[in-house]
Amino acid sequence: DNPKPPKDEL
Amino acid sequence: MNIFRLAGDMTHLASVLVLLLKIHTIKSCAGISLKTQELYALVFATRYLDLFTDYISLYNTLMKLIFLVSSFSIVWYIRHHKIVRRSYDKDQDTFRHYFLVLPCFLLALVINEKFTVKEIMWTFSLYLEAVAILPQLVLLQRTRNIDNLTGQYVFLLGAYRSLYILNWIYRYFTEPHYVHWITWISGLVQTLLYADFFYYYFQSWKNNVKLELPA
């Protein structure tokens, strides 16, 4: 299962 | 963080500063759509709910706070500042918020990554940001005559969107599992809305004449 990248954009 | 993302954030920040500068020094908000500014305040308020739940970096937190504070200050200035509010052209800025807010909210309820309050609010903010510029573009079209600062404000916003697209392309090829359909499609729609404005902006810049939109 692919881990979701954190929402680091603004 | 890549160069496109940083440049995108900086042009976004510059757009807000140009607007605040105009309002603060000239004490005028002529040509600025309050509707668009209120929508942006709503965009940031619903997107940055994660300020309470996640910590990403000091940069991230600071930028979020800056966008929140600046967007609400701009709305406050236009609505309540005793001099600035007189320059607000209420009769031209007639776009209805709910025409944009309601469809975006319904769409966020249907198309989202996860059915949770935070996730739906985040998705709603993306959809709303995509179309929040519309009242501003309609106002520009109506008044046609655009002062330099207002033109630069919209130009910087468009530049910010274009740089974010380059940032996504870069991240897609350099980071594993970097796929964000909702962000990409709404971001693309948002950037396309500026295409028309960009065309006239560059024309006026190339010919060194004042920016004027066709009726």
Side-chain angles (χ1 to χ4, degrees):
Chain A
D1 217 23
N2 292 347
K4 272 215 167 21
K7 292 189 173 92
D8 60 355
E9 290 177 354
L10 293 164
Chain B
M1 179 151 54
N2 63 70
I3 187 71
F4 304 114
R5 162 72 198 283
L6 184 64
D9 284 351
M10 289 306 117
T11 41
H12 194 188
L13 188 63
S15 73
V16 175
L17 292 181
V18 161
L19 194 54
L20 269 173
L21 188 81
K22 175 185 155 94
I23 292 174
H24 190 79
T25 56
I26 313 176
K27 294 278 184 289
S28 162
C29 63
I32 299 297
S33 166
L34 174 64
K35 307 289 167 107
T36 284
Q37 296 307 318
E38 285 174 337
L39 291 174
Y40 279 141
L42 184 60
V43 163
F44 294 134
T46 47
R47 183 170 311 163
Y48 298 158
L49 289 174
D50 63 355
L51 273 173
F52 298 104
T53 55
D54 304 290
Y55 177 78
I56 293 152
S57 65
L58 182 62
Y59 171 85
N60 195 281
T61 303
L62 278 179
M63 291 293 273
K64 283 174 176 169
L65 290 175
I66 291 173
F67 285 132
L68 275 170
V69 171
S70 56
S71 63
F72 278 92
S73 317
I74 291 167
V75 169
W76 179 86
Y77 258 115
I78 302 176
R79 276 182 169 276
H80 301 296
H81 189 281
K82 65 180 193 299
I83 301 168
V84 175
R85 71 171 188 207
R86 278 188 235 142
S87 58
Y88 172 55
D89 202 350
K90 202 165 86 183
D91 302 327
Q92 297 278 359
D93 190 22
T94 52
F95 211 103
R96 309 269 176 184
H97 298 93
Y98 56 80
F99 277 151
L100 299 176
V101 172
L102 203 65
C104 287
F105 187 71
L106 294 176
L107 192 63
L109 284 177
V110 181
I111 304 176
N112 53 61
E113 284 177 12
K114 214 159 114 196
F115 201 80
T116 62
V117 172
K118 206 175 101 183
E119 197 63 26
I120 287 168
M121 285 302 165
W122 178 82
T123 314
F124 164 72
S125 83
L126 284 181
Y127 296 154
L128 188 62
E129 190 190 359
V131 292
I133 195 67
L134 283 174
Q136 180 65 63
L137 292 178
V138 168
L139 183 63
L140 289 184
Q141 201 83 35
R142 275 189 185 161
T143 49
R144 292 186 60 208
N145 221 345
I146 301 149
D147 66 86
N148 285 335
L149 284 175
T150 308
Q152 274 148 18
Y153 167 67
V154 180
F155 172 78
L156 285 166
L157 274 178
Y160 141 64
R161 293 317 310 176
S162 314
L163 286 161
Y164 253 71
I165 289 182
L166 295 178
N167 155 59
W168 295 329
I169 296 171
Y170 181 88
R171 293 188 78 170
Y172 178 76
F173 287 110
T174 54
E175 288 176 34
H177 320 308
Y178 187 77
V179 177
H180 285 292
W181 284 111
I182 291 177
T183 316
W184 293 346
I185 293 171
S186 44
L188 195 64
V189 169
Q190 185 177 1
T191 315
L192 288 175
L193 290 180
Y194 291 91
D196 194 48
F197 172 86
F198 263 46
Y199 174 76
Y200 293 107
Y201 189 89
F202 280 119
Q203 288 283 317
S204 77
W205 179 73
K206 203 175 75 188
N207 304 324
N208 205 12
V209 293
K210 200 168 155 49
L211 175 61
E212 239 180 66
L213 297 179

